[in-house]
Amino acid sequence: QVQLQESGPGLVKPSQTLSLTCSVSGGSISSGSYYWSWIRQPAGKGLELIGRIFYSGSTKYNPSLKSRVTISVDTSKNQFSLKLSSVTAADTAVYYCARVDVSFWYFDLWGRGTMVTVSS
Amino acid sequence: HSVLTQPPSVSGAPGQKVTISCTGSNTNIGAGYDVHWYQQVPGTAPILLIHDNNNRPSGVPDRFSGSKSGTSASLAITGLQAEDEADYYCQSYDSSQSGDWVFGGGTRLTVL
């Protein structure tokens, strides 16, 4: 079955860029049936949508993060990535990648999440 | 501040029924957009519990059910079990501003 796996540094210094990758296994990111998303969750808080990408490269970002976020896709590696620039302690969170059906708009598959701490 | 409002916490004894509300507006639930529910056991990733208002994915017990009316939706859990203790989130689409998927703030269910 399809699985998602986040990877990347667990510690990022303030003002630097957070970079994460989500690897898709068991299925093709280019199927055209799904959006591929990033969601984060600060400790003890709720879920915040960061943005999404389609295999074609089309993106949509949360307006509150738009100036700092870039999501990209590498269909040859079956991966999509998140870059968040100028990070602060407020960006410390568990970061999840997730899949959304293009027709039904719910997150039907999630990665296990990766904890990213912003600290010097 | 979430676009979809959920109570911070609910509780119930084993075997009882609890409901969790998700209140929106006429730019999301009231506009006819479907509501979906996720269960998140602490320390783990969310999983899809209910989709399209009242549909259970394969493997989700029929103790879980969803409903939607007007600008609100509800998740009902009957025959509470200790393993149901978790955080629950509603999610829909909101057409205001740039339009996008939105989550409720989450509800912590405690099984007494």
Side-chain angles (χ1 to χ4, degrees), chain A residues 41 52 60 96 105 107 111, chain B residues 38 40 89 91 98-100:
Chain A
Q41 184 175 37
R52 67 174 182 264
K60 188 175 180 68
Y96 296 101
W105 295 359
F107 299 84
Chain B
Y38 304 86
Q40 185 179 33
Y89 294 89
Q91 176 248 317
S98 60
D100 211 341

Side-chain angles (χ1 to χ4, degrees), chain A residues 17 22 25 28 31 39 42 45 55-57 61 63-64 77 85 93-94 104 116 119-120:
Chain A
T17 296
C22 182
S25 60
S28 174
S31 71
I39 296 158
K45 297 188 177 181
Y55 80 98
S56 62
Y61 301 134
S64 68
K77 294 183 179 180
S85 64
V94 176
F104 300 108
V116 178
S119 175
S120 55

